[in-house]
Amino acid sequence: MIMNDIKVAVMGSEGVGKSALIVRFLTRRFIGEYASSTECIYRKRMSIDGRQLNLELYDPCSQPCEGKSTLNEQIHWADGFVVVYDISDRSSFLTATAIVHLIRETHLGVAKRDRDTDSVIFLVGNKQDLCHVREVDREEGQRLASECRCQFYELSAAEHYQEVVLMFSKIVRNASLGGKAKDRRRRPSGSKSMAKLINNVFGKRRKSV
Ligand SMILES: Nc1nc2c(ncn2[C@@H]2O[C@H](COP(=O)(O)OP(=O)(O)OP(=O)(O)O)[C@@H](O)[C@H]2O)c(=O)[nH]1
């Protein structure tokens, strides 16, 4: 049986809940405090539309660490992108905006050949359960998604399970359909973190919940 490798990068500024979303998807659990001091790739075997897929999920670490990949390397590596912000943190939305634009720019050349690129960038407003301290309106997320031709979700890794699973399943399916059995690219590796630079530019603020 032919196995397809699907690579999905989960991106966004520190503390938006990237690890929480991934862990929710992979284990069904919400793990509140999750120590992630290294970037890592999670692997999962999935069956989508009767096809067997090997999913690789890339979870960057926001702290500087040895051998960390750059945002550009992550973008080149991945077939699909989940760009996460925290609806209660406006600066994380600015970071997500910058990342989405960077992905669009990087993939523009590819997009001419491959029209499916639009369906492989998912913009996710996480921590929907914190809507009483919301700083980013749902409409703003929707607007960015339609401007940049991404799919849009508001979710809560803390409270939703089905929605999180559906979101990941959908991006894996879309990435596998767009897949022109990509010439396998290198794994993310490198030294400088573009994510860090973007965070610095927008001046991030860590919020306790
Ligand atoms: N209320 C609420 N808190 C959440 C949610 N998702 C994550 N958190 C909390 O947000 C904090 C950061 O979550 P992480 O999953 O570590 O975020 P991250 O984006 O992986 O962060 P880094 O690894 O530092 O990049 C933790 O305290 C989580 O418990 C959510 O949906 N709702």
Side-chain angles (χ1 to χ4, degrees), residues 55-98:
L55 170 63
E56 295 193 347
L57 270 178
Y58 174 70
D59 184 9
C61 78
S62 304
Q63 286 87 43
C65 56
E66 267 312 290
K68 197 170 153 68
S69 61
T70 66
L71 198 51
N72 271 312
E73 285 170 318
Q74 294 164 27
I75 291 172
H76 281 106
W77 172 84
D79 304 305
F81 306 89
V82 177
V83 181
V84 186
Y85 65 92
D86 167 358
I87 66 152
S88 70
D89 177 2
R90 172 151 298 274
S91 71
S92 73
F93 183 65
L94 298 177
T95 303
T97 305

Side-chain angles (χ1 to χ4, degrees), residues 12-21 30-37 59-63 84 86 126-130 155-159 206-207 209:
S13 50
E14 189 182 336
V16 295
K18 299 180 295 295
S19 306
L21 285 164
F30 175 64
I31 297 171
E33 291 312 319
Y34 182 84
S36 54
S37 54
D59 184 9
C61 78
S62 304
Q63 286 87 43
V84 186
D86 167 358
N126 187 38
K127 309 199 188 180
Q128 198 191 35
D129 56 296
L130 298 182
L155 293 175
S156 165
E159 293 188 349
R206 182 111 199 188
K207 215 171 192 170
V209 282

